[in-house]
Amino acid sequence: QDIDTRSDVYSLGVVLYELLSGQLPFDPDRLAKTSGANLQRILQEEIPPRPSTRLYQKRMTSVAGDSTNQRTSALLPKDLDWIVMMTLRKNRDRRYASAKALADDVRRFLAGDAVSAVPPTLAYRCHKFLWRYKLPVAAVSVVILALVAALVVSLTQVQRANLANRETTLTMADLYARNGLAADELPVAALWFATAAVTAEPDPDRGRASLRR
């Protein structure tokens, strides 16, 4: 028969499936009661549930509510689901090419790297990167937030200073207008009036008054 290393990968996948879920991919009792033709159809066409799904079903149907099963189901990473299901693919060309390729993917999972069994989407790559380098990323995020906060505070202080300077200019122009002008004060007063006319844009009435003066 046409058997190669990918058949070994399937066998390793069955072992890994049982280690993770505590069950075989297909119910042995069901297979034992199935005729040859139907048995072949099941093995060639039906896709077994993911290991995490089996764990969840086992938890939900457990009368005693075994807390160990609950913790295991909650902690089973999705990457392991993908790795196991890749070993059990019906089309052997879509399985791992060898036991070494399977072992390499398991090592990548243990190291926190992206595994080849998972579709290489941008969201998945970003998730793995953030998970692997979460401490440096968190430190950089804190620094960026601190810089943004400092920038906001600085801009707020500059705005307040500009408002204070504008009010001072307008107040000086008003004082010159109320108190009268001596001959030697005319150049200085003219400068205040001109500055007040420019800075009084939010207050048109005061700006026009400064221009008239």
Side-chain angles (χ1 to χ4, degrees), residues 103-135:
D104 289 342
D105 229 10
V106 172
R107 290 192 190 96
R108 281 190 286 269
F109 162 73
L110 294 175
D113 294 332
V115 300
S116 63
V118 180
T121 62
L122 179 60
Y124 174 71
R125 297 289 182 180
C126 290
H127 170 74
K128 297 302 290 186
F129 177 84
L130 293 175
W131 176 256
R132 185 176 185 184
Y133 300 103
K134 53 187 175 182
L135 291 180

Side-chain angles (χ1 to χ4, degrees), residues 6 85-87 89-97:
R6 289 167 295 185
M85 298 310 291
M86 186 170 180
T87 65
R89 285 175 177 171
K90 305 302 181 183
N91 184 349
R92 63 182 179 180
D93 291 334
R94 299 184 61 204
R95 299 176 197 160
Y96 292 103

Side-chain angles (χ1 to χ4, degrees), residues 52 55-56 58-76:
S52 59
L55 282 172
Y56 178 78
K58 186 177 181 180
R59 182 185 68 179
M60 296 301 292
T61 57
S62 175
V63 177
D66 188 350
S67 60
T68 302
N69 286 338
Q70 294 178 12
R71 288 194 301 270
T72 304
S73 178
L75 295 177
L76 184 61

Side-chain angles (χ1 to χ4, degrees), residues 159-213:
Q159 185 179 15
R160 289 177 178 175
N162 289 337
L163 290 175
N165 182 61
R166 171 181 171 274
E167 190 60 31
T168 300
T169 300
L170 294 174
T171 300
M172 291 298 298
D174 291 342
L175 287 175
Y176 274 117
R178 285 198 301 268
N179 297 333
L181 300 174
D184 58 347
E185 294 177 329
L186 286 175
V188 177
L191 179 60
W192 279 109
F193 289 144
T195 305
V198 173
T199 59
E201 291 182 0
D203 191 346
D205 293 336
R206 296 182 78 176
R208 285 192 292 271
S210 296
L211 284 174
R212 288 196 300 271
R213 293 162 185 166

Side-chain angles (χ1 to χ4, degrees), residues 8-18 25 83-84 87-88 102:
D8 297 331
V9 169
Y10 187 95
S11 300
L12 290 172
V14 172
V15 174
L16 185 56
Y17 189 106
E18 186 174 12
I83 290 174
V84 173
T87 65
L88 300 178
L102 168 59

